[in-house]
Amino acid sequence: MTHPTAASSHVPGVGHVVPIRTLLGVLATLLVLTIATVAITLFDLGSFNIVLALTIAFVKGALVLLYFMHLRWDRPFHAIVIVSAVLFVTLFIGVALLDTLQYHPDVIPGYAPALKR
Amino acid sequence: MSSSKTTVGAEQRAAPQADARDDYLRHSRGILSWIFTLDHKRIGVLYLVSILSAFFLGGTFAVLLRTELIGPGKTIVDPDTYNQFFTLHGAVMIFLFIIPGIPAALGNFTLPLMLGAKDVAFPRLNLLSWWLWITGALLSVASILIGAIDTGWTFYTPYSTTTAQKGVLPIVIGVFILGFSSIFTGLNFIVTVHKLRPKGMTWFRMPLFLWAIYSTAVIQVLATPVLGITVALLAAERLMGIGIFDAGLGGDPVLFQHFFWFYSHPAVYIMILPAMGVISEVIAVFSRKHIFGYRFIAMSSVAIAILSFLVWGHHMFTSMSPLANTLFSALTFSVSIPSAIKVFNWLATMYKGTIQLRTPMLYALAFIFLFTIGGLTGLFLGMLAVDVHLHDTYFVVAHFHYVMFGGTVMAFLAGLHYWWPKMTGKMYSELAGRWGFWLVFVGFQVTFFIQFIMGSRGMPRRYYDYLPEFQIYHQISSIGSYLTAVGFFVVAGCLARSLVRGVPAPANPWGANSLEWWTPSPPPHDNFAETPEADDPYDFSKWTLDPGTGGYVRS
Amino acid sequence: MIVPVATVWLPQRGSTFAQDVDFSWDLVFWTSAFFFALITFLLLWFVLRYRERPGYVAGSATDHHTGLEIFWSVVPTLIVVGLFWSGYRTYLDMATPPAGAYEVQVTGQKWNWLFSYPNGYVDGQLHVPEDTPVRLVMTSQDVIHAFFVPAFRIKRDVIPGRYSQVWFEAIDPGTYDVFCAEYCGTSHSAMLTKVVVHERADFDRWLAEASDFLSRMPPAEAGALLYAQRGCKQCHSVDGASGIGPTFRGIYGHDQRLASGASARVDENYIRESILAPQAKVALGYEPVMPAYQGRLRDEEIGAIVEYIKTLEGTP
């Protein structure tokens, strides 16, 4: 059986096989990003912390989808399915948050017991 | 699986004969051959028996609660027991009967046959779906025995997170498991429709029932996980007090409603889309006329599936902020348009047709009549100012019974009577079928129409007791429920009797042209000797009635 | 236009916007009636005209017609846009209380309603003057309830942990039913009360008289009422059970040990001080969390509470 080379990753009878170098490279990137996520929590950047954390999470998720889940070389239809699922989650959380934010002024302050620190 | 490129031979097309030893019912014997079957037809029958049992249980709760309501104050039970009755009626009917409903009991049987295939894409997953249904059903029934629940099928927090009733946890675990049954069925159907269509059956040459089942499957896969998470969070709140829905712990009770309805609104389209698919088949066949507006009906199924995800807030108009209310009211009206398109297309199909008033057609005509009422009353509820008055009254109860019962159940009965000869190899008595139909139809109307008036006059729902001015409405409704129950016994008797005394069914008693009618009744274990070639499923000109067998044969 | 009695479908109109809501109702009702009649007629006519019978031969008809499809897609779309707009316009009015409305605080709890008037009086029924905008600021003590007055066409959920509001202007003196419209447990269907609409002059007289319940009942009984309605009950039991605050049973005349180490006799002055300035003497073993009632209870009310506590005999 021929091994996939960087130039041609197609193995007859099996289909496209991701080269080991690519997989290892993605893994290394993910580990670095994970360390970055934890490192950022050590700095207080206010609300920018969560923006940064979500951005890193988004990049990591995209890498997993594209390389580990083979989406980069699959039929475009599969990408449509994934993206639409993400859109639906965004729709759900977005609209629920919209409602919650609008009635936020009506919440009774101090109703809940204070969290113990 | 390789698909044969030869067409079915002329002799086989003329009058397919059932091989008495190889039809799927007699293919193997013993209870284990059923419980461990991989045959989609047997799984369909297992589901049929299961969901009809659930329907009977849910119906019993309905008759009990209507009996309590026949007079104000206590009639037969105390308030807590009544509250448990309406909760269990809802939970059993929704999770155990109507959501699996047509896809599981009729779709499982019919889908591969309509595709000329031997089975669904994942037969073992199909069996697992049924086992999961059984597990979820047992847990739900156990919850009745462990401690019962009285939260309503909607489990609103903080009532559901703080009530002392012990049945909440088992039933939400049951619901979680039933969710997976639904997801796996949806997954199976999506792949089957994508991958197992025969040569020549492009998307726009599929029977419309398959478009309906496919759209339903997409909703099942996309929405049900949200239900799973919702009940998981509910359980976590009850067990560990994580503080997501409990205001006393810093949580938000209305957030639960967003979570719950994000699934449960698409869920109602899981209930109605397959029903509409059945109606498309039955109306065309019994008008002996090509379905009108095929593409529009097909696309409207997909449109409903997508739009159904955008409207969940209309269940929450009295607890949401004005901005969210406005958004959801506007979006809600959008989902009414594809349904209207279907109704007009069905009527246009009947125009200049040759209408045969057999039992399946009676149910289909009743569907159009009752679903129209149900759908139009949905418009009342979509209008903000009007919904404020009608929310949580009997008007809502009447609306959803008109669409779920007058709609889905009628279509389910239409499909059951339509495919019964194919599934069982027996014809039922037309006379008994008609009696059953009229009793159910009239009983349903007496039970539920009056509830519209009761609701708009201010009678709230989920009420054990009521003001004397509402008594007459409740009495009429309760009497209707008894009539409906009698009707169902007649329907059951008619079908049961056919199993023992029914005339053997021809392969194609109704002269339909979709592929399931090209194989004997009941079908052999392998469905088809060779994969048939796809044809226009609504071209009935190829079949003529053979007075000898009482069925249609190839002309 | 005042509709004093219910029609077939709707209750009497008791508020200014009932008329607008009913107009929206009429709009959707007659639109629906038209389409229902049309569809039913076509259904029955087609069945009759095209049914299979000896000698009947069906004519030919096409199986698609794009123009027709567009027609019966666009026309319903325009109709529902109109319906949405009607419901939205009226709703916007209903969601926007006018400035200066008479405000009543509403508390929903399993299974009764409490209404707190601006002067501090608390009652189990909602009394309002006619032709006056009234704003209800509502919250729940436990689970979600909903405040529903069919005659006014108003309904709003009452939620723990936050305030929700609804407003109305009553147009006709009379008594109107109030229902709880969100399932809340065993006695959900018994969580009823009334809105009593007074003529303008009569309302002020009612409020003054009702608030003056002290002159209508014996002090101890009035004290029991205040104990239940003004928040004492939440922390202090009357049966000896321990709570956030000391039980009231048997404390009158008893020597109370204080956190400061001293001791004080529980008499009229002690109770009065504890209500008005609770941090002055804190009972031993309890947290200093009691809110001060300075300005929230009148002298006579405190006197009534004292009389009530005197009746609670037993071991403290």
Side-chain angles (χ1 to χ4, degrees), chain B residues 477-532:
Chain B
S477 182
S478 296
I479 290 172
S481 73
Y482 300 136
L483 186 60
T484 314
V486 169
F488 276 112
F489 280 112
V490 173
V491 172
C494 162
L495 294 174
R497 191 166 177 272
S498 79
L499 294 175
V500 181
R501 299 235 207 192
V503 167
N508 195 353
W510 316 122
N513 198 35
S514 42
L515 294 178
E516 78 269 27
W517 303 104
W518 290 63
T519 193
S521 306
H525 175 74
D526 275 345
N527 294 350
F528 298 92
E530 285 149 7
T531 308

Side-chain angles (χ1 to χ4, degrees), chain B residues 108-139:
Chain B
N108 260 319
F109 187 92
T110 319
L111 172 58
L113 287 169
M114 276 186 169
L115 293 175
K118 277 191 165 44
D119 209 305
V120 290
F122 304 120
R124 276 185 197 80
L125 193 66
N126 206 9
L127 181 65
L128 180 62
S129 284
W130 182 71
W131 284 350
L132 289 174
W133 186 98
I134 293 289
T135 310
L138 288 174
L139 271 164

Side-chain angles (χ1 to χ4, degrees), chain B residues 80 83 150 159 254 293 318-320 325 329 341 345 347 352-353 355-356 388-389 391-392 456-457 463 465, chain C residues 7-9 11 46 50 52 56 63 69 73 84 91 155-157 162 180-183 185-186 188-189:
Chain B
D80 281 326
N83 294 336
D150 72 334
Y159 187 81
V254 177
T318 56
S319 54
M320 283 194 308
N325 279 351
S329 174
I341 291 175
N345 277 298
L347 288 173
K352 288 199 178 169
I355 296 174
Q356 302 171 325
V388 167
H389 178 66
H391 174 76
D392 253 307
S456 62
R457 291 183 76 112
Y463 261 39
D465 193 8
Chain C
T7 60
V8 172
W9 288 89
F46 288 173
Y50 303 117
E52 184 180 55
Y56 168 75
D63 64 17
E69 299 279 3
S73 304
F84 162 73
Y91 171 74
K155 183 187 291 112
R156 189 73 189 156
D157 279 18
R162 67 173 162 117
C180 173
E182 187 59 62
Y183 175 72
T186 310
H188 168 57
S189 56

Side-chain angles (χ1 to χ4, degrees), chain B residues 259-527:
Chain B
F259 267 91
F260 181 84
W261 289 111
F262 189 79
Y263 163 74
S264 297
H265 189 80
V268 313
Y269 293 97
I270 295 176
M271 302 172 198
I272 198 66
L273 276 175
M276 292 168 157
V278 172
I279 300 303
S280 292
E281 301 300 321
V282 171
I283 292 280
V285 169
F286 291 93
S287 302
R288 310 307 298 146
K289 187 161 164 279
H290 197 289
I291 191 84
F292 189 95
Y294 175 96
R295 286 196 180 224
F296 275 84
I297 297 184
M299 296 280 84
S300 70
S301 295
V302 177
I304 289 175
I306 296 172
L307 293 171
S308 70
F309 281 92
L310 305 182
V311 302
W312 77 91
H314 66 229
H315 299 268
M316 300 158 58
F317 281 149
T318 56
S319 54
M320 283 194 308
S321 54
L323 178 60
N325 279 351
T326 306
L327 183 67
F328 280 114
S329 174
L331 287 167
T332 294
F333 285 102
S334 70
V335 79
S336 65
I337 303 297
S339 304
I341 291 175
K342 286 188 200 265
V343 172
F344 295 135
N345 277 298
W346 291 324
L347 288 173
T349 305
M350 291 167 63
Y351 175 73
K352 288 199 178 169
T354 307
I355 296 174
Q356 302 171 325
L357 293 174
R358 308 294 289 272
T359 304
M361 186 59 160
L362 292 176
Y363 281 110
L365 295 172
F367 175 96
I368 295 179
F369 178 77
L370 297 172
F371 178 75
T372 296
I373 297 176
L376 288 170
T377 52
L379 297 176
F380 287 71
L381 297 169
M383 290 171 74
L384 283 169
V386 179
D387 182 80
V388 167
H389 178 66
L390 297 175
H391 174 76
D392 253 307
T393 65
Y394 263 83
F395 192 93
V396 178
V397 176
H399 160 74
F400 64 67
H401 280 95
Y402 261 81
V403 283
M404 292 203 289
F405 186 156
T408 302
V409 173
M410 287 297 176
F412 176 80
L413 291 170
L416 190 61
H417 285 80
Y418 177 59
W419 281 304
W420 186 263
K422 181 60 56 184
M423 292 171 84
T424 61
K426 296 291 169 85
M427 300 296 287
Y428 46 82
S429 149
E430 257 303 301
L431 184 63
R434 271 176 208 192
W435 267 101
F437 164 74
W438 283 107
L439 285 169
V440 169
F441 178 66
V442 173
F444 168 80
Q445 295 260 67
V446 174
T447 311
F448 288 108
F449 193 82
I450 202 81
Q451 292 188 2
F452 283 123
I453 303 179
M454 205 187 345
S456 62
R457 291 183 76 112
M459 173 74 213
R461 60 184 286 206
R462 295 178 165 170
Y463 261 39
Y464 166 77
D465 193 8
Y466 49 81
L467 298 179
E469 71 198 68
F470 292 113
Q471 180 168 7
I472 181 68
Y473 304 104
H474 277 289
Q475 283 174 330
I476 294 172
S477 182
S478 296
I479 290 172
S481 73
Y482 300 136
L483 186 60
T484 314
V486 169
F488 276 112
F489 280 112
V490 173
V491 172
C494 162
L495 294 174
R497 191 166 177 272
S498 79
L499 294 175
V500 181
R501 299 235 207 192
V503 167
N508 195 353
W510 316 122
N513 198 35
S514 42
L515 294 178
E516 78 269 27
W517 303 104
W518 290 63
T519 193
S521 306
H525 175 74
D526 275 345
N527 294 350

Side-chain angles (χ1 to χ4, degrees), chain C residues 117 119-125 127 198 202-217 222 225-226 229-230 298 301:
Chain C
Y117 294 85
N119 68 352
Y121 172 62
V122 178
D123 196 286
Q125 286 191 336
H127 291 254
H198 297 258
D202 189 48
F203 175 77
D204 296 316
R205 194 160 29 89
W206 168 82
L207 186 59
E209 204 180 286
S211 312
D212 198 28
F213 61 92
L214 287 166
S215 62
R216 286 187 287 110
M217 52 177 78
L225 192 68
L226 289 160
Q229 288 188 349
R230 296 306 187 92
R298 306 202 308 269
E301 290 174 337

Side-chain angles (χ1 to χ4, degrees), chain B residues 14-15 288 358 427 503-512 543-554:
Chain B
R288 310 307 298 146
R358 308 294 289 272
M427 300 296 287
V503 167
N508 195 353
W510 316 122
W543 299 86
T544 46
L545 184 62
D546 171 13
T549 57
Y552 283 75
V553 293
R554 265 316 243 138

Side-chain angles (χ1 to χ4, degrees), chain B residues 188-200:
Chain B
N188 224 335
F189 285 179
I190 290 175
V191 178
T192 307
V193 170
H194 272 274
K195 290 296 189 186
L196 297 187
R197 272 175 291 122
K199 177 182 164 66

